[in-house]
Amino acid sequence: PPQPLEAAALVGKQGLAAVKRLFGIICAEQTLEACIDGDRFNTYGYNLLGQRRPKEALALFELAAWAHPHSANAQDSLADGYLAGSDKDSAKRALERAIDLAPGDPSIDAGSKASLISAEMKRLQEPR
C-alpha cells in the first residue's frame, strides 16, 4: 500500500475517494486497520502540519480516521487537520466523535481516556 507521503500526494492528484478505493483494492486481503498504520499516518500528518502543508496533513488524518473508525486519537488528529485548514465545523464534529469514541477505545488506558475526554471537552469550549 502507499506510504503516508505517497498517499498524501495521491489524494492531492486523484482525490480522497479515489485513494480510499485504491486502499480498498490493495488491502482487500486484510483489514484497513492492519493496512493503514494509524499512528504512522498521524505522525506524518503532524510533520506536514509543521511544514505548513495542511492539505496534505488533512489527507493523512482523513485516511487514518477512515481506516480506524473506532479510534478517538484518529478523530482528535482529524480535528487538528480541520482546524489547520480553518474548517471549524468539521473540527467540532471530529472532537465530538473523539469524545464519543474514547470510553470504548481499547487502545487507550482508563486514565488516559478521562484525560482525553476532558481535553476534548475543553477544546470544544474554546472560542475559535
Side-chain angles (χ1 to χ4, degrees), residues 23-36:
F23 271 104
I25 293 166
I26 292 171
C27 303
E29 294 185 18
Q30 57 186 320
T31 66
L32 284 172
E33 289 179 334
C35 188
I36 296 176

Side-chain angles (χ1 to χ4, degrees), residues 7-48:
L10 284 171
V11 170
K13 291 177 186 173
Q14 299 176 9
L16 184 61
V19 175
K20 285 181 177 180
R21 283 192 299 276
L22 176 65
F23 271 104
I25 293 166
I26 292 171
C27 303
E29 294 185 18
Q30 57 186 320
T31 66
L32 284 172
E33 289 179 334
C35 188
I36 296 176
D37 183 333
D39 290 337
R40 190 161 183 239
F41 271 60
N42 278 348
T43 297
Y44 274 86
Y46 283 111
N47 287 341
L48 289 168

Side-chain angles (χ1 to χ4, degrees), residues 2 4 16 25 29 45 55 58 76 79 83 89 92 106 116 127-128:
L16 184 61
I25 293 166
E29 294 185 18
K55 289 181 182 179
L58 180 58
D76 173 73
L83 286 174
D89 291 336
K92 180 181 176 186
L116 178 99
R128 302 251 176 223

